[in-house]
Amino acid sequence: MSRHVTPEEVQLGEAVFGPLTQSVRELIDVAIRSDADADDARRAHALIEEATALLGTRLDPKPFGVPSTGDGRYLPWGNVAIGLRNAIAPPLIIQRDDTDRVATDLALGAAYEGPPGQVHGGMCALILDHLLGATAHRAGAPAFTGTLTLRYVAPTPLGRLRAEAWVEREERGKTFAAGHILDAQGGVTVQAEGVFIRPKANA
């Protein structure tokens, strides 16, 4: 059962913790790429330890989960793909057109590197799993990954990317979806096919 959050908590999350999380994303990137000298690195470390102690004075003992605002809106702010408060999330901003085709434009930097200059294949899988799942998810009717099959067509370079997904067909509580990742020139780098299953109560 999801917990409820107040309008004040939503405002705090969007106005305060959203920018804080974006700063942590930037910190992760510069920590990887920095050529700072040892003294500056140690000073930065001390400041980060101070910030960690400050933020850690009050901690929820449970994962963030997906709280509800009570008006039908859910807040997956801890989600690893789209979470407003998760610095690991790119985050993915999902766009849906009138045919229920979904897409996201994103930029992946040093934090997502696998082979030199390329996005880690596992990150590509995460993006496509979430995006294909978004085609199957309807309000009040969640869907869960049954299978996900990937074909790595070409290296996925770090930088600007686009991912797209669509429904191939529906069959007795299952959605068969497909999608791909495109590089900045529009070339396909990864193709995906997935089967997403809705719980019987929602099928």
Side-chain angles (χ1 to χ4, degrees):
M1 187 176 188
S2 64
R3 66 185 178 91
H4 292 285
V5 295
T6 66
E8 291 75 21
E9 289 175 309
V10 174
Q11 184 177 21
L12 179 68
E14 293 175 342
V16 177
F17 284 98
L20 170 63
T21 303
Q22 181 56 34
S23 291
V24 176
R25 286 190 187 101
E26 294 168 5
L27 176 62
I28 292 169
D29 181 78
V30 300
I32 294 168
R33 298 188 298 113
S34 178
D35 285 328
D37 62 31
D39 286 343
D40 285 345
R42 290 191 185 97
R43 182 174 174 228
H45 184 193
L47 291 170
I48 293 166
E49 291 284 302
E50 182 181 346
T52 301
L54 182 63
L55 292 172
T57 55
R58 293 175 58 189
L59 288 178
D60 189 328
K62 302 179 297 299
F64 192 81
V66 186
S68 167
T69 60
D71 59 1
R73 182 182 175 197
Y74 291 89
L75 306 173
W77 286 352
N79 185 284
V80 69
I82 60 174
L84 178 99
R85 292 183 61 169
N86 190 336
I88 298 171
L92 305 181
I93 308 299
I94 306 297
Q95 306 149 2
R96 187 183 300 271
D97 68 17
D98 54 11
T99 69
D100 274 344
R101 189 180 181 103
V102 299
T104 185
D105 294 296
L106 66 158
L108 297 181
Y112 305 101
E113 187 173 46
Q118 299 171 23
V119 179
H120 193 289
M123 189 64 199
C124 295
L126 171 68
I127 292 166
L128 287 166
D129 181 38
H130 189 87
L131 204 65
L132 269 66
T135 69
H137 184 86
R138 304 187 189 91
F144 302 96
T145 309
T147 62
L148 182 68
T149 303
L150 301 175
R151 181 169 176 260
Y152 293 88
V153 179
T156 301
L158 296 174
R160 303 297 306 182
L161 301 167
R162 181 174 175 85
E164 301 173 336
W166 55 91
V167 172
E168 297 273 280
R169 70 183 192 279
E170 304 261 4
E171 183 181 298
R172 297 196 306 181
K174 296 179 180 179
T175 298
F176 294 78
H180 52 224
I181 294 176
L182 306 168
D183 62 22
Q185 287 70 48
V188 174
T189 64
V190 186
Q191 297 172 331
E193 294 180 346
V195 180
F196 295 84
I197 302 168
R198 291 186 295 281
K200 288 186 178 179
N202 297 313

